[in-house]
Amino acid sequence: MYELLDKYGYRPNEEAMGRSLEMMAANLEAMNTPEVLKNCFSLMDVTTLATNDTEKSVKAFVAKVNSVKTLFPDYPCPASVCVYPNLVNVVASDRKDPELHATAVSSCFPSAQSFLEVKVRECELAVENGADEIDIVLALNAFLAGDYERARKEIREMKAAIDSKAASLGRKVVLKVILETGLLVTPEAIAEASFLAMEEGADFIKTSTGKVSINATPVAAYVMCESIAKFYEKTGRMVGFKAAGGISTAKDALSYYGIVKSILGNKWLDKEHFRFGVSRLANALMSAIEQKTVSVF
């Protein structure tokens, strides 16, 4: 058990984690500057994943994102708009800024409870329909049963399909793997899942779908970032980190920003290596920057 932790020489130290997180929490105010808050804004995958999403509602959502540059010209563009795969074409066609990526959740999000062939085809269709980024879900039915090879195989086959389809269209597509850390429970399991996903080619590892009772937590983020650091030491490959689920205040964003900065350093503090998956954070960040209530989203 936990062979990958042995391979990368990592064991989560909960006592040390607790001390570090307390220290970071005590120093949040030092990071609470317009510059940092605007950087957090640029790292957002602004998200709508409602059962009643329609083409019309997603068009309206993208229009709100497009309006930011008009209303607040000195703000950066968010990293992406994240939607269900059948609606990703709306984002791709309606965005005004080419820097705004179209992200699709795939692999039968959020449960990933389907046939691998279905998940693979869904990923391919999302790319065909304009996705710049694909967020898939770790096969927890395999991972929690200890069948790591099946969990690996699913990521490997979806990545191969994404890369092949993207290459045929002359593009590259970013792959994020959602670990659903709230269901992994222990720091050791979170680390093991992190290493497994990174070994199979994840460009980012992501905390949560936002659809279970426990989503992103500072402890999960800390373990994932330490795993990323260990993976980087051994392989030289920079894997990104995405915090998602329940991140709704500027303080929440600064907490995760501080964890990434402390463990991985400043070179991870860009949209190529750090993201927030958010549905409510944008207004909170804008309100904190402007020092008044802002309700664009």
Side-chain angles (χ1 to χ4, degrees):
M1 196 174 187
Y2 302 136
E3 292 177 4
L4 292 175
L5 272 64
D6 294 334
K7 177 178 178 178
Y8 290 93
Y10 176 59
R11 278 290 187 279
N13 183 326
E14 294 190 60
E15 186 177 330
M17 262 192 289
R19 288 196 302 268
S20 294
L21 288 170
E22 283 180 12
M23 191 177 303
M24 289 180 203
N27 290 296
L28 276 188
E29 198 53 40
M31 289 189 297
N32 190 7
T33 67
E35 180 184 21
V36 170
L37 293 171
K38 284 182 180 179
N39 195 27
C40 288
F41 191 88
S42 76
L43 306 175
M44 295 188 305
D45 291 347
V46 287
T47 301
T48 178
L49 295 171
T51 302
N52 60 345
D53 281 344
T54 63
E55 183 173 330
K56 182 179 179 181
S57 70
V58 172
K59 277 181 172 289
F61 189 74
V62 176
K64 290 178 181 180
V65 180
N66 288 337
S67 75
V68 170
K69 273 296 182 186
T70 302
L71 297 171
F72 300 91
D74 61 334
Y75 276 52
C77 178
S80 84
V81 174
C82 181
V83 295
Y84 283 114
N86 55 312
L87 293 166
V88 74
N89 63 309
V90 177
V91 181
S93 64
D94 282 27
R95 60 187 166 186
K96 299 299 185 187
D97 189 335
E99 291 296 310
L100 180 69
H101 279 191
T103 297
V105 294
S106 297
S107 74
C108 300
F109 176 97
S111 68
Q113 293 283 11
S114 190
F115 302 102
L116 178 56
E117 293 88 348
V118 174
K119 298 180 190 181
V120 167
R121 185 61 182 138
E122 186 179 62
C123 290
E124 290 175 331
L125 287 168
V127 175
E128 285 178 11
N129 280 273
D132 303 297
E133 306 183 6
I134 301 283
D135 290 18
I136 66 171
V137 185
L138 174 69
L140 287 178
N141 53 8
F143 184 86
L144 293 176
D147 190 350
Y148 289 180
E149 184 48 44
R150 182 156 67 90
R152 284 182 178 279
K153 181 177 185 287
E154 292 215 1
I155 298 172
R156 190 183 312 134
E157 291 201 15
M158 282 185 273
K159 178 174 174 54
I162 290 165
D163 288 350
S164 176
K165 181 59 67 175
S168 74
L169 298 169
R171 299 194 281 121
K172 288 188 176 179
V173 171
V174 171
L175 174 65
K176 308 190 199 88
V177 178
I178 305 167
L179 307 183
E180 203 67 288
T181 53
L183 300 182
L184 295 177
V185 182
T186 69
E188 289 79 11
I190 293 169
E192 192 82 352
S194 297
F195 289 125
L196 185 152
M198 290 188 286
E199 286 196 341
E200 294 305 328
D203 296 304
F204 279 76
I205 51 175
K206 174 179 170 182
T207 58
S208 322
T209 61
K211 303 294 187 181
V212 296
S213 59
I214 300 175
N215 292 291
T217 65
V219 168
Y222 198 103
V223 171
M224 290 169 69
C225 287
E226 285 198 321
S227 300
I228 289 169
K230 288 292 185 181
F231 187 79
Y232 178 62
E233 284 177 20
K234 198 166 186 75
T235 69
R237 187 164 77 85
M238 291 176 69
V239 175
F241 167 72
K242 179 174 175 178
I247 301 167
S248 60
T249 68
K251 184 177 179 181
D252 290 337
L254 291 173
S255 296
Y256 291 104
Y257 192 93
I259 291 169
V260 172
K261 180 180 175 69
S262 174
I263 297 171
L264 295 170
N266 289 334
K267 63 184 177 180
W268 254 269
L269 298 176
D270 59 35
K271 66 182 179 181
E272 283 73 36
H273 302 101
F274 181 23
R275 297 287 181 85
F276 297 106
V278 301
S279 58
R280 293 173 291 166
L281 180 64
N283 285 337
L285 287 174
M286 297 172 88
S287 296
I289 295 163
E290 300 299 321
Q291 292 293 292
K292 63 181 181 182
T293 301
V294 177
S295 298
V296 173
F297 293 91

